[in-house]
Amino acid sequence: NAGVTQTPKFQVLKTGQSMTLQCAQDMNHNSMYWYRQDPGMGLRLIYYSASEGTTDKGEVPNGYNVSRLNKREFSLRLESAAPSQTSVYFCASSVMRGGGETQYFGPGTRLLVL
Amino acid sequence: AQSVAQPEDQVNVAEGNPLTVKCTYSVSGNPYLFWYVQYPNRGLQFLLKYITGDNLVKGSYGFEAEFNKSQTSFHLKKPSALVSDSALYFCAVRAPIGANNLFFGTGTRLTVIP
């Protein structure tokens, strides 16, 4: 199993450009998540999807949209990138939302917005 | 509101010595607690978790953590540090009821000195 995969690994955007970060998991997990990691701030949840067909806002959703395309795939879209969105983005998945289940993380996408 | 504090940004320890990475939490009710490790340019890897039961939890790579309810702590420990343990360690908490996501600490960088 590949686990959680993310593309691209690295991206440079100009302010105002749009892009979609892709995430896929092959563990048959129901729940998927998008986090951003910034220096000195740990990881913060952007959006999550408890199950196929549902999405909900996390702690820092402004400036982002998500799509749960199917059970395997959960994409994150930046419609108009801003320098404040320069960060490392991690996708994660788990069997279910809530409780003590473990989240499994992808390798990350490093985004630089100029 | 849930929160996690990792009071040390950096911990240095000599190879072969015991190591401790500290974590305290704040949550309503009984918490679910997690430790993750991040190696350079990699995603987060799950180490261990406390859900209920024995306060001493054993995890991957020889790590363990002790849940202390009275001190609201969940410190990560290892009896004998290896150079390969050098990485960034994150503590995370989730409340068992009504929580949508994990709340991460800001991370502690562990350096094991040969």
Side-chain angles (χ1 to χ4, degrees):
Chain A
N1 288 348
V4 180
T5 57
Q6 292 182 236
T7 55
K9 286 188 171 62
F10 181 73
Q11 183 72 47
V12 179
L13 292 178
K14 294 181 180 177
T15 296
Q17 287 185 317
S18 62
M19 79 160 295
T20 300
L21 282 66
Q22 307 286 354
C23 173
Q25 52 90 10
D26 62 1
M27 296 176 283
N28 202 34
H29 285 170
N30 291 313
S31 298
M32 298 185 73
Y33 312 80
W34 276 105
Y35 291 89
R36 60 179 287 174
Q37 182 182 26
D38 301 294
M41 299 189 73
L43 277 77
R44 293 178 294 169
L45 184 69
I46 304 170
Y47 271 92
Y48 68 97
S49 170
S51 60
E52 186 179 354
T54 69
T55 60
D56 286 284
K57 295 178 180 179
E59 190 180 352
V60 288
N62 291 346
Y64 305 95
N65 286 302
V66 290
S67 295
R68 184 73 183 269
L69 304 170
N70 47 56
K71 192 172 186 178
R72 290 187 64 249
E73 298 172 289
F74 187 39
S75 63
L76 178 72
R77 182 160 178 84
L78 287 69
E79 291 290 352
S80 179
S84 61
Q85 294 177 304
T86 293
S87 188
V88 182
Y89 292 85
F90 289 100
C91 178
S93 71
S94 64
V95 173
M96 59 178 286
R97 179 180 69 85
E101 86 289 356
T102 300
Q103 291 185 18
Y104 295 89
F105 286 79
T109 294
R110 194 172 295 272
L111 177 65
L112 175 62
V113 183
L114 302 175
Chain B
Q2 299 113 76
S3 66
V4 169
Q6 294 182 243
E8 301 159 317
D9 291 334
Q10 174 81 41
V11 170
N12 296 327
V13 64
E15 185 177 21
N17 282 2
L19 70 86
T20 299
V21 182
K22 296 179 180 178
C23 171
T24 59
Y25 66 89
S26 174
V27 68
S28 300
N30 294 321
Y32 296 143
L33 293 157
F34 301 79
W35 275 103
Y36 284 84
V37 60
Q38 184 180 31
Y39 298 101
N41 300 313
R42 304 287 294 276
L44 276 70
Q45 295 180 29
F46 170 74
L47 276 180
L48 51 81
K49 65 182 177 183
Y50 172 82
I51 305 301
T52 186
D54 194 348
N55 289 343
L56 184 64
V57 179
K58 293 187 183 297
S60 306
Y61 312 122
F63 284 93
E64 59 189 29
E66 185 167 11
F67 172 63
N68 187 317
K69 189 172 183 178
S70 63
Q71 297 185 4
T72 62
S73 67
F74 189 56
H75 301 331
L76 182 70
K77 299 181 180 184
K78 187 173 182 180
S80 178
L82 300 173
V83 172
S84 56
D85 292 330
S86 298
L88 189 57
Y89 289 81
F90 290 97
C91 182
V93 67
R94 163 178 277 145
I97 298 174
N100 293 327
N101 57 287
L102 289 174
F103 285 87
F104 284 85
T106 52
T108 298
R109 185 164 300 281
L110 173 69
T111 300
V112 181
I113 303 164

